[in-house]
Amino acid sequence: MSDDDTKLTRPTGGCWMNPIFAKSLPSEAMCEKAREIYENADDCPIGAGLAGTMAEEGGMNIQNNVHWRRIRSLLDDPFIMKEPGQRMKRVYNIGIDIVAAVPF
């Protein structure tokens, strides 16, 4: 979380995607797309984009359980704010459809 509590910020050394997954896809082209998504994670406002939507819906309280969603349903929902770089769609296009948010 940013210092002003307005957006999710990936800390140095942190990740939004397991780097092992990014190396395990069936083709080099898909691995390259996953690496690009993994390496370029911009800050995300709460309630916008994939990470921001998951954080808002799942809650930021560490007492909450894991929050699961299907990316396809997020992409199809006109009320979900999509991020400018289409990260949600790019994640879906490399074969990820079920995502989880884990509060900590």
Side-chain angles (χ1 to χ4, degrees), residues 73-90:
S73 69
L74 294 170
L75 288 169
D76 290 342
D77 187 336
F79 298 103
I80 298 291
M81 289 189 290
K82 314 308 189 284
E83 62 273 68
Q86 296 187 328
R87 181 180 179 83
M88 190 183 307
K89 186 174 186 177
R90 291 183 303 144

Side-chain angles (χ1 to χ4, degrees), residues 40-94:
N40 299 306
D42 294 330
D43 291 351
C44 185
I46 301 297
L50 183 56
T53 299
M54 294 296 290
E56 181 180 61
E57 289 181 353
M60 301 294 286
N61 184 330
I62 62 171
Q63 301 302 320
N64 289 344
N65 293 322
V66 177
H67 177 68
W68 297 91
R69 279 295 300 263
R70 294 189 69 108
I71 294 178
R72 180 79 255 164
S73 69
L74 294 170
L75 288 169
D76 290 342
D77 187 336
F79 298 103
I80 298 291
M81 289 189 290
K82 314 308 189 284
E83 62 273 68
Q86 296 187 328
R87 181 180 179 83
M88 190 183 307
K89 186 174 186 177
R90 291 183 303 144
V91 168
Y92 180 77
N93 287 340
I94 62 168

